[in-house]
Amino acid sequence: MSKILPPGDQRRLDDLLSRFTDDAQHMIGYPGTHIIDFSPLAPFLEFFLNNIGDPYSASTFRLNTHEFEREVVTWFKQILRAGETDVRGYVTGGGTEGNMYGMYLARELLPGGIVYYSEDTHYSVAKILRMVNARSIMIKSRPDGEMDYDDLMRTLHLHRDVPPIIFANIGTTMRGAIDNLETIKTILKDLAIARSYIHADAALSGMILPFVDDPQPFGFDAGIDSIAISGHKMPGCPMPCGVVLARQAHIDRIARSVEYIGTSDMTVAGSRNGLTPLFLWYVIKTLGHEGFRDIIAECTAISDYAIAQFKAHGITAWRHKNSLTVVFPRQAENTLKKWQVATQGKDAHLITMPHVTRNHVDQFITDLVAATRKTETQKTAIPA
Ligand SMILES: Cc1ncc(COP(=O)(O)O)c(C=O)c1O
């Protein structure tokens, strides 16, 4: 078997690399990023690594990174304010798996419970709710993307006999809105609801709020039962991954002993990526708490810079407190495509992830304004 790639295929790889080099310079609309050099981890590509099973139990299969995975979970436990609360978790394939895990735990704890989630919730959640066969009700969103608490209150009131499972957004996909956990808990208390479950979808903001001075409630100290974060968003892992954490008592309900792998399993998947925990561990050890504080402060300054630049060009743009998602009116479709800007309805957004510089913002707004002017000129041109 030849070990050398035929020249035609090598050329295709070279072309792909050059396309990625260019496209990465025009990516301001999605929450992926590139912060540090991961090449010191390249030697680990030589091994078949599989983190199958419970990262907290010894397994017959030893080519895993469970030890590093546990350290990653411990770090997240600390930034997510678990304190002395018994919380565990594992490294997932992404935010979606973490949300699925939260819904799975909630359904096991409250079988027959109703899941409440807002209109601005990530599209994958409806898919998850079908998979776990959960009864669910969509709650209205306010115009800024946060849950409409009056609608939540009214709807919960109608179903007071069924335990609620609240799917709270800690940073919505499109507008970065944060559902208020304190308000949600007050509503549950006012309605005298004794049994409930709160899952936090903190895909991006779970790695922002721990590093700002005045965060909205987001962690275990705010009464959540589980939380999911994406590892390829703010931590900048170059492949999809994530972290899910939950109260140990909920995890215990689903953990099963599996003879074949010689360990217990409390995860959703069978085989699990052994490299991603190493990448997350590496970024945490390299940057640490202080590194992320600095990064978030700079990203926030660039968000404000973007809003000011939009304003200077007569375009209204805004962001939620502690959010890096800058929302502006959808326009000039080709320019949005060029810069990989996400849209929904009348809104577009850019996200000032660590790789987005003031220079990117300037270039994008210049492109956007020029394209919008051109369209307007064409519209108003009087036919000869
Ligand atoms: C709020 C929110 N939840 C969940 C997800 C899904 O996360 P992932 O892409 O890591 O599966 C996203 C992705 O953008 C998101 O923005």
Side-chain angles (χ1 to χ4, degrees):
M1 196 171 71
S2 162
K3 286 187 180 157
I4 302 213
L5 204 57
D9 292 326
Q10 182 56 53
R11 251 194 320 279
R12 287 189 63 201
L13 278 189
D14 295 342
D15 290 349
L16 189 64
L17 190 61
S18 119
R19 177 165 78 72
F20 286 158
T21 307
D22 182 53
D23 281 346
Q25 277 307 312
H26 296 92
M27 206 285 276
I28 61 168
Y30 291 93
T33 198
H34 180 227
I35 318 182
I36 58 167
D37 172 21
F38 286 105
S39 58
L41 296 181
F44 292 95
L45 289 172
E46 297 293 321
F47 300 94
F48 163 62
L49 300 179
N50 190 333
N51 276 22
I52 193 163
D54 184 340
Y56 294 87
S57 307
S59 162
T60 320
F61 178 78
R62 289 198 302 278
L63 287 173
N64 64 46
T65 57
H66 281 167
E67 184 187 335
F68 292 78
E69 184 172 9
R70 289 195 298 274
E71 285 184 34
V72 168
V73 171
T74 302
W75 189 79
F76 275 93
K77 189 178 157 187
Q78 181 251 319
I79 67 161
L80 297 171
R81 303 180 169 191
E84 294 306 306
T85 311
D86 206 356
V87 163
R88 283 198 179 174
Y90 71 95
V91 174
T92 60
T96 304
E97 183 186 330
N99 288 335
M100 181 188 288
Y101 191 67
M103 291 301 95
Y104 174 36
L105 295 182
R107 288 273 291 148
E108 289 294 302
L109 181 71
L110 302 173
I114 300 180
V115 180
Y116 298 86
Y117 64 106
S118 84
E119 280 176 294
D120 274 51
T121 300
H122 191 259
Y123 73 92
S124 62
V125 176
K127 204 163 52 172
I128 291 168
L129 295 177
R130 282 201 298 279
M131 280 182 205
V132 299
N133 196 23
R135 200 174 150 200
S136 63
I137 299 180
M138 187 187 272
I139 301 298
K140 279 188 197 147
S141 291
R142 300 187 329 201
D144 66 356
E146 201 173 322
M147 184 181 274
D148 179 330
Y149 306 107
D150 292 336
D151 193 36
L152 177 68
M153 172 83 141
R154 274 192 302 269
T155 316
L156 281 171
H157 194 264
L158 287 175
H159 302 277
R160 276 174 67 173
D161 53 326
V162 185
I165 298 165
I166 309 288
F167 186 98
N169 285 304
I170 302 300
T172 60
T173 308
M174 200 52 211
R175 290 178 277 191
I178 295 174
D179 294 338
N180 191 322
L181 294 172
E182 291 304 330
T183 307
I184 291 171
K185 278 193 306 182
T186 305
I187 292 172
L188 293 172
K189 192 158 172 266
D190 288 351
L191 291 172
I193 291 171
R195 301 185 74 211
S196 63
Y197 186 105
I198 302 179
H199 172 77
D201 176 3
L204 171 61
S205 297
M207 274 293 293
I208 297 174
L209 296 173
F211 308 111
V212 299
D213 288 336
D214 184 23
Q216 294 92 329
F218 65 94
F220 286 94
D221 60 339
I224 59 165
D225 290 283
S226 51
I227 185 164
I229 298 179
S230 301
H232 50 281
K233 293 193 167 99
M234 188 50 78
C237 280
M239 68 286 274
C241 62
V243 179
V244 67
L245 276 79
R247 291 176 189 262
Q248 180 68 43
H250 304 331
I251 295 178
D252 287 344
R253 300 180 73 89
I254 58 131
R256 299 281 179 273
S257 164
V258 186
E259 186 185 356
Y260 176 65
I261 51 174
T263 183
S264 72
D265 189 16
M266 39 69 99
T267 67
V268 166
S271 290
R272 294 191 299 112
N273 200 323
L275 280 172
T276 47
L278 213 50
F279 276 68
L280 280 171
W281 178 88
Y282 188 78
V283 75
I284 287 167
K285 290 288 171 186
T286 311
L287 294 171
H289 206 274
E290 282 314 304
F292 276 110
R293 266 194 91 82
D294 292 347
I295 286 173
I296 299 301
E298 176 61 8
C299 291
T300 305
I302 295 184
S303 288
D304 287 335
Y305 176 79
I307 291 170
Q309 291 310 108
F310 274 119
K311 196 171 165 205
H313 289 88
I315 300 170
T316 310
W318 60 276
R319 68 178 178 94
H320 278 283
K321 176 183 167 186
N322 295 327
S323 169
L324 307 177
T325 303
V326 176
V327 185
F328 60 93
R330 180 174 182 167
Q331 58 199 286
E333 295 292 325
N334 284 341
T335 307
L336 300 185
K337 252 187 217 132
K338 172 180 168 189
W339 287 89
Q340 301 172 66
V341 167
T343 55
Q344 191 175 296
K346 291 184 174 148
D347 288 334
H349 73 205
L350 62 84
I351 308 181
T352 56
M353 295 299 286
H355 67 279
V356 177
T357 61
R358 286 175 178 75
N359 192 24
H360 288 125
V361 169
D362 289 342
Q363 284 181 40
F364 169 65
I365 294 181
T366 305
D367 274 3
L368 190 76
V369 169
T372 305
R373 271 202 199 120
K374 196 169 154 200
T375 316
E376 277 162 10
T377 315
Q378 280 163 354
K379 267 195 218 150
T380 54
I382 302 160

